[in-house]
Amino acid sequence: MKELLARYKYRGDERLKTVLGQMLVHSYHLLHKDRDTPAETDSMKEFITFVPVSERRMLERGFNQAEQMAVELGQRIGVPVIPLLKRSKHTDKQSFKKRSERLDDLEHVFEVNDSIHNNLGESLATSFVIYIVDDVYTTGSTMNQCAKVLGEYISAEVFGLTWAR
């Protein structure tokens, strides 16, 4: 898995997004099976979003792997992908840090996109389920920060879906 991720994320083998996206479909179905969740209804809407990368990281890689994986997942399960989050500051790669450094480093890094209410609507009769996609779950600090920021702006059940742990 490390080698696949390195090929995809650091060596730009974007063909792997198809395989990784398909693997996320399995995770999505396992989550629904565990929760015994009904399909989307008029009063419950599902959306997929992804962990954003900084502009600097985007320039380095040329793509956001979490976004590509989210799009692959969304296409396969028929759930819309919406960029609900933005990264307000650049951080060094999390993989080089200790757990405590990761937790401190991600404080105030993510914000909601200005268009969050345009994308989700303002219906009080609707409940939302939002899936945040990222490539790797290590300490949970990235997912927790993203979910915390979303929770400050919208009432929703938020779940993380990652390709690897």
Side-chain angles (χ1 to χ4, degrees):
M1 289 181 91
K2 267 187 172 178
E3 178 57 30
L4 275 179
L5 185 62
R7 276 180 44 201
Y8 177 46
K9 191 171 174 176
Y10 303 118
R11 289 183 231 132
D13 189 352
E14 292 182 63
R15 297 172 301 172
L16 291 170
K17 68 184 175 188
T18 306
V19 173
L20 303 183
Q22 181 59 45
M23 293 170 90
L24 281 175
V25 171
H26 179 69
S27 296
Y28 172 84
H29 288 305
L30 284 175
L31 177 63
H32 272 263
K33 180 181 164 197
D34 288 346
R35 293 179 57 232
D36 196 26
T37 308
E40 181 177 297
T41 65
D42 287 339
S43 63
M44 192 274 294
K45 300 286 184 194
E46 291 184 307
F47 294 100
I48 298 170
T49 196
F50 48 87
V51 174
V53 295
S54 67
E55 288 181 30
R56 189 158 120 191
R57 194 76 68 226
M58 184 65 94
L59 287 173
E60 284 174 13
R61 292 190 193 136
F63 65 96
N64 176 349
Q65 73 282 353
E67 179 179 7
Q68 286 185 344
M69 293 165 68
V71 168
E72 287 289 323
L73 174 63
Q75 288 172 346
R76 292 169 188 275
I77 63 172
V79 174
V81 178
I82 301 174
L84 298 176
L85 297 164
K86 62 184 176 182
R87 197 172 196 114
S88 55
K89 72 177 188 178
H90 177 77
T91 57
D92 292 329
K93 292 179 181 175
Q94 298 299 304
S95 58
F96 298 135
K97 297 176 186 164
K98 296 177 187 168
R99 185 181 200 292
S100 61
E101 293 171 321
R102 290 176 192 221
L103 295 171
D104 293 339
D105 196 38
L106 291 173
E107 200 62 40
H108 308 294
V109 169
F110 302 106
E111 298 175 2
V112 295
N113 271 337
D114 299 331
S115 62
I116 188 169
H117 291 293
N118 294 340
N119 284 318
L120 296 181
E122 301 275 351
S123 172
L124 297 174
T126 303
S127 62
F128 298 103
V129 177
I130 300 172
Y131 304 97
I132 306 172
V133 172
D134 201 6
D135 54 358
V136 177
Y137 181 102
T138 306
T139 63
S141 54
T142 300
M143 284 290 181
N144 286 334
Q145 284 300 317
C146 289
K148 178 182 171 187
V149 167
L150 286 172
E152 291 170 358
Y153 286 86
I154 189 158
S155 178
E157 280 190 276
V158 180
F159 298 94
L161 290 175
T162 60
W163 174 71
R165 179 171 171 135

